Amino acid sequence: MTADELVFFVNGKKVVEKNADPETTLLAYLRRKLGLSGTKLGCGEGGCGACTVMLSKYDRLQNKIVHFSANACLAPICSLHHVAVTTIEGIGSTKTRLHPVQERIAKSHGSQCGFCTPGIVMSMYTLLRNQPEPTFEEIEDAFQGNLCRCTGYRAILQGFRTFSRDGGCCGGNGDNPNCCMNQKKDHTVTLSPSLFNPEEFMPLDPTQEPIFPPELLRLKDAPQRQLRFEGERVTWIQVPTLKELLDLKVQHPEAKLVVGNTEIGIEMKFKNRLFPVIVCPAWIPELNSVERGPEGISFGAACPLNSVEKTLQDAVAELPAHKTEVFRGVLEQLRWFAGKQVKSVASIGGNIITASPISDLNPVFMASGAKLTIVSRGELPYVKVRKEDLGGEKAHEIGHFLEKQNPYGTSMYQLNTADCWIFGEPGEFFSAFKQASRREDDIAKVTSGMRVLFQPGTTQVKELALCYGGMADRTISAIKTTRKQLSNFWNEKLLQDVCAGLAEELQLAPDAPGGMVEFRRTLTLSFFFKFYLTVLQKLGKEGLEDKCGKLDPTFASAASLFQKDHPANVQLYQEVPKGQSEEDVVGRPLPHLAAAMQASGEAVYCDDIPRYENELSLRLVTSTRAHAKIKSIDISEAQKVPGFVCFVSADDIPGSNQTGLFNDETIFAKDKVTCVGQIIGAVVTDTPEHAQRAAQGVKITYEELPAIITIEDAIKNSSFHGPELKIEKGNLQKGFSEADNVVSGELYIGGQEHFYLETHCTIAVPKGEAGEMELIVSTQNTMKTQSFIASMLGVPENRIVVRVKRTGGGFGGKETRSTVVSTAVAMAAYKTGRPVRCMLDRDEDMLITGGRHPFLARYKVGFMKTGKIVALEVDYYSNAGNTLDLSRSVMERALLHMDNCYKIPNIRGTGWLCKTNLASNTAFRGFGGPQAMLVAENWMDEVAVTCGLPAEEVRRKNMYKEGDLTHFNQKLEGFTVHRCWDECLASSQYHARKSEVDKFNKENCWKKRGLCIIPTKFGISFTIPFLNQAGALIHVYTDGSVLLTHGGIEIGQGLHTKMVQVASRALKIPVSKIYISETSTNTVPNTSPTAASVSTDINGQAVYDACQNILKRLEPFKRKNPSGSWEDWVTAAYKDAVSLSATGFYKTPNLGYSFETNSGNAFHYFTCGAACSEVEIDCLSGDHKILRADIVMDVGSSLNPAIDIGQVEGAFVQGLGLFTMEELHYSPEGSLHTRGPSTYKIPAFGSIPIEFRVSLLRECPNRKAIYASKGVGEPPLFLAASIFFAIKDAIRAARAQNTDNNTKELFQLNSPATSEKIRNACVDKFTTLCATGIPENCKPWSLRV
């Protein structure tokens, strides 16, 4: 049979593909075949939204054109026949005009690195196509499937809020107490409440949007026919009728049915499954129909979840409440089910048949008694309909039903065609629950559906169903427990019986997959308790409360569903002084110079560079063992893959295979591997898809060696990198002997994955002569990239040019670890003599490149009754991984920050770097500082509790004062912590809110609030003195335009924008005349990495120096022609043969701390701040929400308040992830479980504080840096610890009311404070029922490393 032609439209242009391969995704097709690189690859699994596009098609059932967002990384091109695709390039550009969505995100400072921006723009654009005046809630919902790692989300939401009918600025006319116009006026300084002016925005005109292709509209009535697309390994068949589908299922029993490809796509990409025949039933009318009958609503199995959601919302609005109990439960699950991109394409039938053990919806279907319609075609006549009951007494049948069928398809001749959800009856109550690490778009830990039906007019149980996901290898029903309750009354006794029954019936093995055994078991009881209270509440409303007992008013809030107020934001900064010229942009909130290009998809990242004519693709081959000898490498299977070119290994290297900052690493492992993910070799092929297949074909045999995985293992085996580090001051023995009280403890702080949206990427182009090679790399460190490659190839560094235009985020993860990819790619380019490209997939990136160091600290603190600290001793252990990398410097910074802001007369800090068989951990924003400061605030918290004093008093009492010496003997000058602290206490109304929190906690038994204020000081400088240097190069052309280059790299932090502002002020010319193209080793050599929050300081001074050199040369021409213009002086200088090119250089003075003598300056100055956060926790589920955060930050005289506030918010939200959400899981064998956004959760749009207030401290110029500014990248991150300690404060309130459960006043809460840790710390009757002992020899599912 010949294959059909695939016809679809992209941005209004017709695309006819004669050789459509079912394995090709829309993303690969757009980027490689059509050259549309605005749509980005962020994760490949539909979890980050960077690849979002809008799809439009004519819906035959609704008789209208529908628009919806989708993940291009999952959408197979074969599913797009007769569909119109709109990408970021199709809605606007800087060359023609920007679309209002693009303009607003750029001007409201919602784009930093810009890699996630096109996806976010397309999500918003799709919403506006469907709803030109959305509510703010609809805007928030539209972003559930999008992630951003830079901005902290506030700026994006605030910019897009201007589209909403209830949004935008109220102009002071609203009754909002948080209105920016109601802020206290300080007349000495002009405070600006807004970083952008919404009145400048272009209005949205829905009539100007591109039309749906008329050709597709004409086809709307044409009959659909079967289509076949034959790929290299897979055949795709699209069927228009149910009969053809059943016939095909007989011919191809193993065929997979695919509608949205949100499950199969991931199986094929990440689990290397191959499905030779795929059948797509999405066109079949019966499978798409929705019918409301007398019994309930029935949905065709191919109905996408978003249409299910819409139908149920309409039903809830129209029908009496008792009829829609189940629908409300389903809607509550769908609300947090996934992002719009997934819900738009994923089908309800697919969700059931996938039979996921943690399905959000199957427990609901099972508990509600939903019906499933099955059609089959045996040798009998065509259709036989059978109804399988999914609920009630036959609840196990769904388990059997789902187990008997192979997941994703159904048995040979059977198909699920429809699901019917039954209307409720009077006396029936239903609830659904789910608990996950993050609210939006997260896989549940435990989910449940619960239903009770009472005898008419009574509270006597007639039917009860409690069904759970996440408690077995499938959805299960607690049959034993529920059977015993029939005919019992809904009262306290029933509650106790059910809880005891559930604890008995729903056991989990201590090594159960997914871990968190006690937490999951406790949730089954907590959910039932919530259900019990919800039913009591509803019975009370129906006047039946005399029959079932009254609801304790302090319990009421436990039954409420999650609700969030609309966000309120305030951003305050000091306006430029009156009289500053309009052209002088220093101190003004100038948008990021590339923001408009980022918002239109025109900004070029490494992988966006068009492919070279004879370019090859590389894929790394990595170790699957933590510690082993390599016995053999067999590449015979890989060689059979089409397009295979070669395998690269250590044997090919012409120079040295030794690499790394301390030469303790190899480029390719030769005889043994020391971690899972270590690079052994690489395959080179013609396409990335072939490279992935070839890499899987490389077979390696190992001889296992004993591995050290955790910090505890390393301590036990004395496995350390080098000797310990130490700082000591005062007399520790004397300090402890004088103390009234001594507290000891330990704290563990988990690691963190960088999750920059753009993974590591390198293109290497050999030049063919004298060993020259050019590399385009996504890195923060061009110098080390260059030197490592030169050393490997055995050529001088002057033959290697490394170029970076921008990177899609870095956060320290591209400071040294980018070299593991770039050296391998350079090696392949050398061997083949052709250009080679490699962009890591997200799962490879997370596995190979390491992250923030996990820390274990053991401390002992001595203090007086007044709370004054007199002695402190801390031992720090960091999990450094298999090589040294930057671990020593990270530990040095940790020891230098062990005091946070507190003066401790007698102190000793010791640091050990644990050498383990994990991928080497590396730099990450804060660089050891946040870990050490969290330990400091932890013992400070315990001191306050022990003394019975308010925490904020004890903190204030111990703070340094101006002129004090730190524990490393540096004098504090211009020390503003007190000012930040006092302003934060006042602006957050701390004391008034503290009493409100206490009142709330008295009135609510199962929800608790906590409030905490935390200070920070962060030392600005590289701790290795010679790194504090920078160069700049400036060219002035005869038309007056200026090309500027400096040693720093634009990673989203706005560095290039600030450098242009510095040059603009220095040269007194407008910003429009200055351009920065890229950073490269052949313009500014020997550059320090863009890191340590010093890039603006050192590069800014170097740029200033270069500008001064130019100005000196222009001085004579200015004197001759004082009224001339810049262009006149430049032309005159050129005609007089004066050089218009200059370099600039800067080194930071007076640095050089010695650990041996504890003397010398470690830092140039300190950036200070304070933050106050309020949280509310749900003691039953461990959930929390951040009600408000107030931040006061001293950034000196801000060069650009919009960028600086963006840095403060972005760092704070990254810290919120570190301390409350992001958790890495490793197997006992040292393999990383969490390798993508589905398993590793970074904060999402809904995770940020509901009220988010940031204020930059006024009148605090910093005389030590360029134009009196301060470094801002890392310091604010630690302020998110205020959330961690607010959570701890709330847990303490919960424990205080449950004193009968042996709760101690001091308790250890390790970081991150996830829902599991919060729930387990709120000890109560449910946790005691579920205590699970762990046997000695048990191998847990995951280890704390």
Side-chain angles (χ1 to χ4, degrees):
M1 289 174 79
T2 56
D4 289 293
E5 282 184 353
L6 175 71
V7 178
F8 62 109
F9 281 73
V10 176
N11 298 332
K13 290 201 180 94
K14 186 175 182 177
V15 176
V16 179
E17 179 52 63
K18 291 187 167 56
N19 304 309
D21 187 327
E23 289 187 80
T24 303
T25 62
L26 172 60
L27 182 65
Y29 195 85
L30 289 171
R31 292 181 61 83
R32 275 185 255 143
K33 190 86 190 248
L34 302 180
L36 296 171
S37 59
T39 310
K40 306 295 182 212
L41 172 64
C43 69
E45 57 172 75
C48 73
C51 65
T52 304
V53 295
M54 183 177 85
L55 303 182
S56 311
K57 64 180 185 192
Y58 190 84
D59 184 318
R60 293 174 178 231
L61 287 168
Q62 296 183 57
N63 281 328
K64 65 173 195 180
I65 297 161
V66 291
H67 306 292
F68 53 94
S69 57
N71 292 116
C73 73
L74 289 178
I77 50 168
C78 296
S79 65
L80 300 175
H81 191 64
H82 290 175
V83 170
V85 179
T86 307
T87 70
I88 186 82
E89 291 91 347
I91 69 170
S93 88
T94 58
K95 299 176 189 74
T96 50
R97 61 166 222 149
L98 290 176
H99 188 276
V101 175
Q102 295 168 323
E103 179 201 39
R104 291 186 199 188
I105 196 169
K107 286 187 178 168
S108 62
H109 317 285
S111 181
Q112 287 184 19
C113 87
F115 201 79
C116 66
T117 308
I120 288 171
V121 166
M122 290 312 295
S123 287
M124 186 68 205
Y125 176 78
T126 309
L127 172 66
L128 292 174
R129 287 299 299 265
N130 288 316
Q131 185 63 20
E133 278 201 335
T135 63
F136 190 68
E137 208 168 320
E138 287 171 320
I139 293 176
E140 279 196 303
D141 283 350
F143 296 128
Q144 274 197 29
N146 291 84
L147 296 175
C148 164
R149 192 55 152 165
C150 297
T151 60
Y153 300 109
R154 188 275 317 158
I156 301 171
L157 287 169
Q158 201 174 338
F160 284 158
R161 193 173 188 162
T162 55
F163 285 111
S164 77
R165 52 187 147 189
D166 53 359
C169 180
C170 65
N173 312 324
D175 52 2
N176 177 3
N178 304 319
C179 170
C180 57
M181 311 281 269
N182 295 345
Q183 299 307 310
K184 290 199 279 297
K185 297 276 191 289
D186 171 348
H187 291 293
T188 54
V189 172
T190 321
L191 276 191
S192 184
S194 181
L195 293 163
F196 61 90
N197 177 8
E199 284 159 21
E200 292 174 3
F201 292 160
M202 279 186 301
L204 177 73
D205 181 355
T207 63
Q208 294 303 298
E209 300 299 357
I211 59 165
F212 186 69
E215 181 177 340
L216 293 185
L217 211 48
R218 289 197 293 276
L219 292 167
K220 70 179 183 351
D221 303 320
Q224 286 172 315
R225 62 180 185 82
Q226 194 182 92
L227 294 175
R228 281 178 84 89
F229 302 114
E230 307 267 352
E232 207 171 86
R233 307 188 294 169
V234 179
T235 301
W236 176 288
I237 307 171
Q238 186 105 16
V239 286
T241 68
L242 196 52
K243 179 178 182 324
E244 289 171 80
L245 176 59
L246 289 161
D247 292 344
L248 273 170
K249 224 17 198 157
V250 175
Q251 285 169 29
H252 303 284
E254 298 312 304
K256 293 292 170 219
L257 300 187
V258 168
V259 175
N261 201 42
T262 54
E263 191 64 44
I264 292 282
I266 289 167
E267 294 272 309
M268 291 174 78
K269 171 99 182 106
F270 294 104
K271 298 183 185 165
N272 313 320
R273 302 277 301 274
L274 177 62
F275 305 114
V277 181
I278 289 180
V279 179
C280 176
W283 288 354
I284 300 173
E286 296 93 320
L287 296 193
N288 284 291
S289 67
V290 178
E291 286 167 23
R292 204 187 279 188
E295 299 205 304
I297 301 181
S298 113
F299 293 94
C303 279
L305 295 173
N306 65 350
S307 77
V308 171
E309 194 170 22
K310 177 85 178 70
T311 306
L312 295 181
Q313 282 164 346
D314 294 346
V316 168
E318 295 160 24
L319 296 167
H322 70 85
K323 275 195 159 188
T324 60
E325 277 277 310
V326 174
F327 300 170
R328 284 195 296 259
V330 175
L331 285 171
E332 185 55 26
Q333 297 300 61
L334 283 175
R335 180 179 169 195
W336 310 116
F337 184 87
K340 285 266 188 279
Q341 296 93 320
V342 169
K343 285 197 282 198
S344 301
V345 297
S347 67
I348 183 74
N351 188 268
I352 293 172
I353 298 299
T354 299
S356 163
I358 44 175
S359 164
D360 291 355
L361 293 177
N362 284 345
V364 176
F365 300 154
M366 196 189 234
S368 64
K371 291 189 165 60
L372 200 57
T373 309
I374 304 286
V375 300
S376 64
R377 197 211 95 161
E379 300 312 309
L380 300 162
Y382 154 56
V383 174
K384 181 174 118 202
V385 176
R386 196 167 84 242
K387 297 217 168 191
E388 290 259 2
D389 184 11
L390 265 77
E393 283 300 290
K394 295 191 192 164
H396 271 294
E397 281 187 30
I398 184 172
H400 294 313
F401 168 77
L402 294 171
E403 278 178 344
K404 270 190 301 201
Q405 324 310 346
N406 48 348
Y408 311 118
T410 35
S411 68
M412 214 128 102
Y413 312 121
Q414 294 182 336
L415 293 167
N416 156 20
T417 59
D419 318 302
C420 176
W421 297 344
I422 316 297
F423 289 137
E425 46 191 296
E428 180 177 19
F429 300 96
F430 190 92
S431 289
F433 302 99
K434 163 182 177 174
Q435 185 54 42
S437 314
R438 182 180 72 202
R439 210 161 284 106
E440 293 114 307
D441 186 20
D442 193 1
I443 291 169
K445 301 291 176 256
V446 177
T447 83
S448 73
M450 302 188 176
R451 169 180 167 271
V452 65
L453 175 65
F454 295 115
Q455 298 287 0
T458 72
T459 64
Q460 190 179 19
V461 175
K462 183 178 175 189
E463 292 174 18
L464 178 64
L466 307 176
C467 302
Y468 292 97
M471 293 305 293
D473 57 0
R474 57 197 163 83
T475 304
I476 55 167
S477 172
I479 296 253
K480 282 187 202 149
T481 304
T482 51
R483 268 200 194 126
K484 290 180 191 157
Q485 300 309 323
L486 301 182
S487 305
N488 290 350
F489 287 90
W490 199 257
N491 55 23
E492 195 66 28
K493 181 180 180 315
L494 173 133
L495 172 65
Q496 282 168 358
D497 287 355
V498 169
C499 287
L502 288 173
E504 178 61 33
E505 186 174 352
L506 301 180
Q507 297 281 345
L508 276 175
D511 59 352
M516 309 187 189
V517 173
E518 278 192 25
F519 174 50
R520 284 154 67 189
R521 290 189 58 213
T522 306
L523 283 177
T524 58
L525 276 60
S526 296
F527 286 165
F528 178 71
F529 181 54
K530 281 175 173 264
F531 180 55
Y532 171 79
L533 296 176
T534 307
V535 172
L536 276 191
Q537 226 170 14
K538 290 179 178 173
L539 289 171
K541 284 187 189 144
E542 293 183 9
L544 287 167
E545 63 183 30
D546 49 329
K547 300 190 178 163
C548 64
K550 260 183 109 56
L551 179 64
D552 178 336
T554 68
F555 284 20
S557 60
S560 60
L561 291 176
F562 177 81
Q563 286 304 337
K564 206 172 80 170
D565 300 329
H566 281 344
N569 309 298
V570 181
Q571 284 70 38
L572 296 175
Y573 62 94
Q574 187 173 334
E575 287 210 332
V576 296
K578 298 250 184 305
Q580 178 171 324
S581 100
E582 278 299 308
E583 278 200 346
D584 183 354
V585 289
V586 168
R588 298 187 195 275
L590 188 70
H592 193 298
L593 289 177
M597 291 187 294
Q598 289 165 191
S600 61
E602 295 163 57
V604 178
Y605 298 83
C606 184
D607 192 48
D608 297 340
I609 287 166
R611 303 186 82 72
Y612 289 84
E613 181 65 33
N614 56 347
E615 182 181 301
L616 297 169
S617 294
L618 174 138
R619 179 95 177 186
L620 299 172
V621 174
T622 59
S623 163
T624 54
R625 304 290 190 278
H627 193 202
K629 289 182 181 158
I630 299 173
K631 301 295 285 178
S632 69
I633 301 175
D634 173 10
I635 63 166
S636 54
E637 282 303 306
Q639 288 168 320
K640 296 175 188 165
V641 173
F644 177 87
V645 175
C646 67
F647 177 72
V648 185
S649 69
D651 300 335
D652 297 302
I653 291 177
S656 168
N657 190 29
Q658 290 304 114
T659 186
L661 294 176
F662 299 95
N663 256 358
D664 61 343
E665 305 186 31
T666 54
I667 292 161
F668 298 117
K670 183 121 169 75
D671 303 312
K672 74 169 188 180
V673 290
T674 53
C675 73
V676 175
Q678 187 174 353
I679 299 168
I680 294 170
V683 291
V684 184
T685 67
D686 59 344
T687 68
E689 289 76 14
H690 286 151
Q692 183 173 353
R693 278 164 56 189
Q696 284 146 18
V698 177
K699 299 287 177 266
I700 299 168
T701 53
Y702 303 93
E703 181 188 314
E704 300 255 1
L705 298 168
I708 291 172
I709 306 300
T710 67
I711 290 175
E712 283 91 343
D713 286 349
I715 297 170
K716 206 185 303 170
N717 292 290
S718 299
S719 173
F720 301 113
H721 289 284
E724 72 271 27
L725 282 156
K726 190 177 289 178
I727 294 184
E728 190 164 1
K729 186 178 178 182
N731 182 337
L732 214 58
Q733 213 173 345
K734 181 168 165 285
F736 279 118
S737 62
E738 287 171 2
D740 293 338
N741 213 326
V742 173
V743 165
S744 308
E746 72 168 40
L747 183 68
Y748 174 78
I749 301 145
Q752 186 179 23
E753 159 61 31
H754 299 91
F755 216 96
Y756 26 67
L757 262 280
E758 177 201 34
T759 58
H760 287 283
C761 183
T762 296
I763 304 169
V765 185
K767 293 298 185 189
E769 53 179 86
E772 274 190 63
M773 190 178 287
E774 179 181 48
L775 293 109
I776 296 147
V777 189
S778 179
T779 181
Q780 291 170 245
N781 194 340
T782 51
M783 180 189 174
K784 287 295 172 202
T785 304
Q786 176 190 36
S787 65
F788 286 4
I789 289 168
S791 143
M792 172 195 66
L793 295 177
V795 299
E797 289 176 17
N798 62 9
R799 308 299 157 87
I800 308 294
V801 175
V802 178
R803 296 169 43 204
V804 187
K805 195 160 189 73
R806 60 173 60 80
T807 79
F811 316 115
K814 295 174 181 174
E815 185 176 338
T816 57
R817 304 319 289 165
S818 58
T819 59
V820 300
V821 180
S822 47
T823 39
V825 175
M827 182 57 238
Y830 168 82
K831 181 172 176 174
T832 58
R834 290 163 65 176
V836 177
R837 178 183 311 230
C838 171
M839 182 177 185
L840 294 185
D841 276 337
R842 178 63 61 186
D843 58 325
E844 296 178 278
D845 193 288
M846 290 184 72
L847 180 68
I848 293 168
T849 60
R852 188 186 294 279
H853 290 69
F855 263 62
L856 176 67
R858 295 177 176 157
Y859 56 85
K860 182 171 135 191
V861 57
F863 51 97
M864 311 311 284
K865 289 193 187 74
T866 57
K868 194 85 178 142
I869 312 289
V870 291
L872 173 70
E873 181 173 21
V874 190
D875 290 340
Y876 299 95
Y877 300 90
S878 70
N879 193 329
N882 64 340
T883 68
L884 193 50
D885 191 66
L886 291 161
S887 301
R888 199 167 179 82
S889 297
V890 167
M891 185 58 82
E892 286 175 2
R893 187 170 279 271
L895 291 173
L896 293 166
H897 285 79
M898 67 181 286
D899 56 339
N900 192 7
C901 298
Y902 308 116
K903 183 169 183 168
I904 306 155
N906 307 295
I907 184 168
R908 180 197 300 144
T910 315
W912 282 271
L913 318 175
C914 297
K915 184 177 187 175
T916 59
N917 296 114
L918 294 180
S920 193
N921 282 315
T922 189
F924 195 146
R925 198 178 203 161
F927 208 74
Q931 292 97 312
M933 292 188 282
L934 192 77
V935 176
E937 293 301 342
N938 195 64
W939 52 250
M940 185 58 85
D941 188 58
E942 296 189 342
V943 167
V945 171
T946 310
C947 295
L949 294 167
E952 71 281 3
E953 262 177 47
V954 177
R955 288 190 164 97
R956 179 71 203 231
K957 192 173 285 171
N958 285 290
M959 272 182 207
Y960 286 119
K961 296 184 180 60
E962 174 75 16
D964 279 350
L965 288 182
T966 62
H967 65 295
F968 49 93
N969 290 318
Q970 180 162 347
K971 189 175 176 189
L972 293 172
E973 300 170 309
F975 186 61
T976 53
V977 158
H978 289 267
R979 280 190 59 198
C980 294
W981 179 264
D982 293 343
E983 187 174 314
C984 190
L985 272 177
S987 67
S988 66
Q989 298 145 326
Y990 179 86
H991 294 290
R993 280 169 55 212
K994 188 83 187 137
S995 44
E996 279 174 36
V997 164
D998 294 341
K999 177 171 178 281
F1000 178 90
N1001 290 345
K1002 278 195 192 76
E1003 292 168 3
N1004 292 274
C1005 182
W1006 300 101
K1007 292 235 167 109
K1008 296 290 176 192
R1009 288 184 178 172
L1011 181 70
C1012 182
I1013 179 169
I1014 294 277
T1016 190
K1017 79 166 173 32
F1018 193 89
I1020 304 292
S1021 287
F1022 285 103
T1023 47
I1024 299 169
F1026 69 77
L1027 288 176
N1028 296 284
Q1029 58 168 300
L1033 173 65
I1034 196 165
H1035 296 322
V1036 183
Y1037 296 97
T1038 51
D1039 65 349
S1041 66
V1042 173
L1043 182 65
L1044 178 61
T1045 314
H1046 57 90
I1049 292 164
E1050 178 58 58
I1051 49 181
Q1053 80 286 44
L1055 179 61
H1056 283 354
T1057 306
K1058 284 181 170 180
M1059 292 306 96
V1060 168
Q1061 286 177 285
V1062 167
S1064 163
R1065 172 179 272 189
L1067 297 172
K1068 298 189 173 56
I1069 59 173
V1071 166
S1072 56
K1073 290 196 194 314
I1074 307 167
Y1075 185 68
I1076 297 178
S1077 168
E1078 62 177 11
T1079 309
S1080 60
T1081 52
N1082 58 357
T1083 50
V1084 179
N1086 316 323
T1087 57
S1088 294
T1090 299
S1093 308
V1094 298
S1095 302
T1096 296
D1097 291 7
I1098 59 176
N1099 291 294
Q1101 293 284 13
V1103 166
Y1104 179 81
D1105 182 45
C1107 292
Q1108 294 310 312
N1109 289 334
I1110 290 286
L1111 290 173
K1112 271 189 210 113
R1113 295 175 202 167
L1114 291 180
E1115 193 50 45
F1117 307 99
K1118 281 184 169 177
R1119 277 203 304 272
K1120 261 186 216 156
N1121 180 9
S1123 60
S1125 65
W1126 165 257
E1127 286 80 359
D1128 295 338
W1129 302 326
V1130 167
T1131 308
Y1134 169 68
K1135 287 184 173 164
D1136 201 27
V1138 169
S1139 166
L1140 290 171
S1141 172
T1143 59
F1145 189 77
Y1146 175 75
K1147 83 172 234 208
T1148 310
N1150 309 325
L1151 289 178
Y1153 172 76
S1154 154
F1155 273 85
E1156 281 66 50
T1157 61
N1158 197 16
S1159 63
N1161 282 345
F1163 303 113
H1164 193 36
Y1165 61 86
F1166 296 90
T1167 293
C1168 301
C1172 171
S1173 295
E1174 183 181 353
V1175 301
E1176 180 177 307
I1177 64 169
D1178 180 331
C1179 307
L1180 289 166
S1181 66
D1183 219 359
H1184 79 274
K1185 57 180 173 182
I1186 306 162
L1187 302 175
R1188 176 169 164 180
D1190 293 73
I1191 303 171
V1192 177
M1193 202 76 204
D1194 162 24
V1195 297
S1197 301
S1198 172
L1199 290 178
N1200 184 325
I1203 284 176
D1204 286 348
I1205 286 172
Q1207 286 295 293
V1208 172
E1209 292 172 338
F1212 185 81
V1213 172
Q1214 218 164 37
L1216 174 169
L1218 168 67
F1219 295 132
T1220 70
M1221 189 180 289
E1222 298 177 37
E1223 200 167 24
L1224 291 161
H1225 293 289
Y1226 289 87
S1227 75
E1229 293 73 40
S1231 178
L1232 181 66
H1233 287 310
T1234 41
R1235 298 189 190 182
S1238 60
T1239 48
Y1240 183 79
K1241 294 296 162 186
I1242 70 168
F1245 276 84
S1247 312
I1248 64 170
I1250 298 168
E1251 269 189 65
F1252 204 171
R1253 297 158 169 259
V1254 178
S1255 174
L1256 301 182
L1257 195 66
R1258 298 172 288 290
E1259 298 296 329
C1260 53
N1262 169 33
R1263 56 187 180 76
K1264 293 188 168 181
I1266 184 78
Y1267 294 138
S1269 64
K1270 273 192 174 184
V1272 67
E1274 296 166 286
L1277 183 133
F1278 176 67
L1279 291 176
S1282 57
I1283 298 167
F1284 179 86
F1285 290 105
I1287 288 173
K1288 198 169 178 182
D1289 186 40
I1291 296 172
R1292 196 173 284 120
R1295 290 165 69 95
Q1297 75 183 15
N1298 280 317
T1299 43
D1300 47 349
N1301 291 303
N1302 308 327
T1303 50
K1304 296 191 189 68
E1305 199 171 20
L1306 292 184
F1307 62 98
Q1308 185 177 340
L1309 179 68
N1310 290 326
S1311 168
T1314 57
S1315 47
E1316 175 195 15
K1317 293 203 189 79
I1318 294 171
R1319 178 64 190 102
N1320 291 350
C1322 294
V1323 185
D1324 56 31
K1325 57 188 178 192
F1326 305 117
T1327 55
T1328 33
L1329 274 172
C1330 295
T1332 311
I1334 294 182
E1336 272 294 287
N1337 54 359
C1338 167
K1339 228 186 201 184
W1341 175 76
S1342 85
L1343 292 180
R1344 185 184 94 174
V1345 300

